[in-house]
Amino acid sequence: MKKIAVLLLFGLMTITVFSQGINFEHGTLQEALDKAQKENKLVFVDTYTTWCGPCKWMTKEIFPQEKVGEFFNENFVSIKIDCEKGEGIGIASKYTVTAFPTLLFLNANGKVVHKMVGGKQANDLIQGGKDALDPNKRSTSVAARYASGDRDLDFVLSYIKSLDEAYNKGKSAQVSKELLASLPIEKFANKDMFKVVANAGVTYKSKEYNYVLENKAKLLNKVDSTQYFSVLNGAISRHLNKIASTCSSIEKLNTEIELCKKDNVSKYQTSLEKGLVYTFYLSQKDFDKWFELKLKEAEEFKNKPNYVYKLHDIGNEVYANPKFNGFKEPLDRALQLGHKMISGNDGLIMGNLLLSKLYLKAGNKEKALKHFNVFFETNEKAGGLNDHPSVTSIKNGIDSL
């Protein structure tokens, strides 16, 4: 009898342990939707990838928590979708999932009613679930309310917050700009409201920019300093990049840089100025000067572990930046760089990766595949992530040649 009692106790303990946390379905999304319809629930979808750090963190630390499980198991049918395998590829495309984790709340018809992006603490995740259950707080409902003309201040601020949580930076900036234009700039001179200014992407020498610059001491006593400097640095950076892309001489660019430094010097000033010079020479199609400066910068890291990454980045920009499209000379120089990299053991992985991309750009399937296979095998032996989308996209591109 005692033995039976012990077994029963063990069974109860087992049920308790395994009932903690979110109970994720193991079938298809459609099966989850069908179950949700029968139970009159929404579907909670955790879209993830195997290489995503925040995804792993939530799976290990957040989803197993008892309070999270109690709330989600009561209110949702939950399912995890790997967006790089099986039906997950189509689901990621259908719901425009571009960052991970993306947390979707769907009705039984498969329509998104609420969305969050990024790793969330337990309380934030639960609050997101509560918002999904409240028709007035769902991201889709809030968007419709704004589109219909509701401009109540508290509502608009909450809308901006929900857009940020959904990683919808473009829409967040648009709504922030509209709110900023509708009220006196002084209304935003506090910690809660200044984020609107930071989101809005104010332009250099605009009314808003001048107000922020001229009231530096007062604002830094009231608002987040990171947001304050992001307003100035963002406006200056956008202005200077436009100048670098359009001016006719490096002297004119340098003159404008010095003028902007009178307003503010970023802690990333050196990096900013280097980037502006590169942008200028690319806009002038002076590829020789661009390569000269890039290689000179890379040589500062010679005999250091990240040297091959610096070389790879030079060639990768030729591959990825559309400003190089249609020009054979920079592509040939980047290919020479890749072959130089694989001449030594330290550059086997990054050099072959670079060559596979460059030959893909050149339309040479045979050589692209050859170098990709060497990269893949070498990277796998070194414990690299061959299932990362940056790798699979190259293979897909080569296959489609």
Side-chain angles (χ1 to χ4, degrees):
M1 189 71 182
K2 184 182 290 186
K3 185 175 182 180
I4 294 173
V6 171
L7 288 172
L8 286 171
L9 178 61
F10 176 77
L12 289 171
M13 289 173 65
T14 304
I15 291 171
T16 301
V17 169
F18 286 99
S19 66
Q20 290 181 352
I22 298 178
N23 295 325
F24 287 100
E25 301 293 315
H26 297 289
T28 65
L29 176 59
Q30 187 57 55
E31 289 170 340
L33 292 170
D34 292 341
K35 183 176 180 180
Q37 189 168 39
K38 291 177 182 176
E39 298 180 4
N40 194 28
K41 292 181 177 180
L42 296 176
V43 175
F44 167 63
V45 187
D46 168 38
T47 63
Y48 72 97
T49 65
T50 57
W51 48 264
C52 164
C55 303
K56 294 177 182 178
W57 170 73
M58 290 195 73
T59 295
K60 182 181 178 182
E61 303 292 341
I62 304 302
F63 296 149
Q65 291 188 28
E66 185 174 0
K67 65 180 179 180
V68 174
E70 286 180 355
F71 176 76
F72 274 80
N73 295 337
E74 179 181 353
N75 294 288
F76 304 98
V77 173
S78 301
I79 187 169
K80 294 172 70 68
I81 300 289
D82 185 338
C83 287
E84 294 180 336
K85 294 179 182 177
E87 71 165 349
I89 297 172
I91 288 170
S93 176
K94 178 179 179 179
Y95 293 109
T96 320
V97 176
T98 56
F100 302 98
T102 290
L103 309 171
L104 303 172
F105 296 86
L106 313 178
N107 64 20
N109 294 321
K111 182 179 178 181
V112 176
V113 298
H114 193 64
K115 177 181 178 182
M116 297 189 294
V117 177
K120 304 296 178 186
Q121 293 287 349
N123 289 339
D124 295 329
L125 179 62
I126 291 171
Q127 183 58 54
K130 290 179 178 178
D131 291 344
L133 293 172
D134 186 341
N136 294 317
K137 293 184 178 180
R138 293 172 178 173
S139 54
T140 51
S141 301
V142 173
R145 183 176 162 187
Y146 184 83
S148 69
D150 191 336
R151 293 299 183 269
D152 175 77
L153 180 59
D154 289 338
F155 162 70
V156 175
L157 290 173
S158 68
Y159 182 36
I160 292 171
K161 181 181 178 182
S162 71
L163 289 169
D164 291 338
E165 289 176 348
Y167 210 65
N168 193 341
K169 292 185 177 181
K171 188 65 176 178
S172 176
Q174 177 190 332
V175 175
S176 295
K177 286 178 183 178
E178 291 171 359
L179 179 59
L180 185 58
S182 70
L183 295 170
I185 184 65
E186 292 79 12
K187 291 282 187 181
F188 299 89
N190 59 72
K191 189 171 184 178
D192 292 333
M193 294 282 283
F194 195 78
K195 181 174 177 59
V196 175
V197 185
N199 273 8
V202 302
T203 56
Y204 180 67
K205 295 302 181 184
S206 66
K207 176 185 68 176
E208 295 81 10
Y209 175 91
N210 290 335
Y211 175 84
V212 171
L213 180 64
E214 293 164 7
N215 292 273
K216 180 177 181 179
K218 181 175 74 173
L219 287 171
L220 284 176
N221 283 328
K222 295 181 178 181
V223 308
D224 181 89
S225 61
T226 300
Q227 291 180 357
Y228 174 86
F229 287 109
S230 76
V231 172
L232 294 182
N233 292 331
I236 289 171
S237 177
R238 287 187 293 274
H239 169 69
L240 288 176
N241 271 287
K242 183 177 181 180
I243 295 295
S245 297
T246 57
C247 69
S248 58
S249 70
I250 195 70
E251 289 77 20
K252 288 184 178 180
L253 173 60
N254 288 331
T255 297
E256 197 65 27
I257 289 172
E258 292 306 312
L259 284 174
C260 290
K261 285 165 71 172
K262 292 179 181 179
D263 287 355
N264 190 61
V265 176
S266 167
K267 62 180 179 179
Y268 306 108
Q269 189 72 25
T270 300
S271 177
L272 170 65
E273 292 182 20
K274 283 182 180 178
L276 292 168
V277 171
Y278 295 139
T279 297
F280 169 78
Y281 284 115
L282 281 186
S283 70
Q284 299 295 310
K285 297 181 175 54
D286 190 343
F287 301 124
D288 286 339
K289 187 66 176 179
W290 183 87
F291 266 102
E292 176 191 331
L293 294 175
K294 282 282 185 177
L295 289 170
K296 182 179 179 181
E297 183 181 353
E299 288 301 305
E300 297 174 11
F301 297 86
K302 197 166 185 177
N303 300 320
K304 295 180 181 179
N306 56 344
Y307 178 56
V308 293
Y309 294 96
K310 292 292 182 181
L311 295 179
H312 169 271
D313 288 347
I314 296 172
N316 187 65
E317 188 161 356
V318 175
Y319 164 73
N321 193 328
K323 290 187 177 180
F324 290 100
N325 290 353
F327 295 95
K328 187 175 183 297
E329 180 191 356
L331 182 57
D332 287 343
R333 289 197 64 173
L335 284 166
Q336 291 171 14
L337 183 61
H339 282 289
K340 178 183 177 182
M341 291 172 67
I342 65 172
S343 64
N345 288 332
D346 290 343
L348 279 178
I349 294 176
M350 299 306 295
N352 278 292
L353 174 63
L354 175 60
L355 287 170
S356 69
K357 289 188 279 191
L358 293 172
Y359 279 118
L360 168 60
K361 183 164 187 168
N364 190 325
K365 182 173 183 175
E366 181 181 355
K367 289 187 176 181
L369 185 58
K370 170 190 170 184
H371 288 287
F372 180 84
N373 287 338
V374 175
F375 155 75
F376 195 93
E377 181 181 347
T378 311
N379 192 48
E380 188 171 53
K381 288 180 180 177
L385 294 175
N386 281 339
D387 59 348
H388 193 278
S390 63
V391 175
T392 55
S393 65
I394 297 167
K395 181 60 164 62
N396 291 338
I398 295 171
D399 289 342
S400 66
L401 283 176

